Amino acid sequence: VFLGGDQALALLLARRLGFRSVVYAEDEARWPGLASRYLLRSPALLARVPERHRGSCTVVGDLMAAAALSAAPPAPGGNQPPPPPSVADEQQQQQQQ
């Protein structure tokens, strides 16, 4: 499982050792043909993946924002910050445009 750093090194190591690789991409899925699975931050990233590799990609949302919100202490007065936009919210916005 790759969660940060250089995607190429994680993919090369997985291939060398004969392991399958799962890569989370925030900005770009650089080598979708080499990874077993790509987990993507947004549907916009999926649109930039070549059609033949889209079957190995899944949009899971912003894991970093979700982790930060779940680790944040509650606000004074019990008010919670709004949740990060979900994948469904982003897809709905794109359909409306």
Side-chain angles (χ1 to χ4, degrees):
V1 176
F2 170 81
L3 293 174
D6 189 350
Q7 292 180 17
L9 293 177
L11 292 170
L12 289 172
L13 184 60
R15 180 161 286 209
R16 171 82 176 185
L17 297 175
F19 294 130
R20 295 191 306 166
S21 56
V22 178
V23 178
Y24 174 69
E26 286 187 302
D27 300 321
E28 184 179 1
R30 291 181 177 93
W31 296 281
L34 297 178
S36 303
R37 298 287 300 165
Y38 252 100
L39 307 177
L40 306 174
R41 182 177 56 115
S42 69
L45 289 175
L46 183 61
R48 296 192 327 229
V49 173
E51 187 74 33
R52 68 181 183 272
H53 297 299
R54 288 186 186 165
S56 66
C57 297
T58 303
V59 178
V60 295
D62 192 337
L63 299 181
M64 303 303 180
L69 282 177
S70 68
N79 295 332
Q80 292 291 327
S86 69
V87 172
D89 294 337
E90 290 181 17
Q91 289 173 342
Q92 187 177 24
Q93 279 182 332
Q94 285 183 346
Q95 289 174 354
Q96 290 175 353
Q97 293 175 352

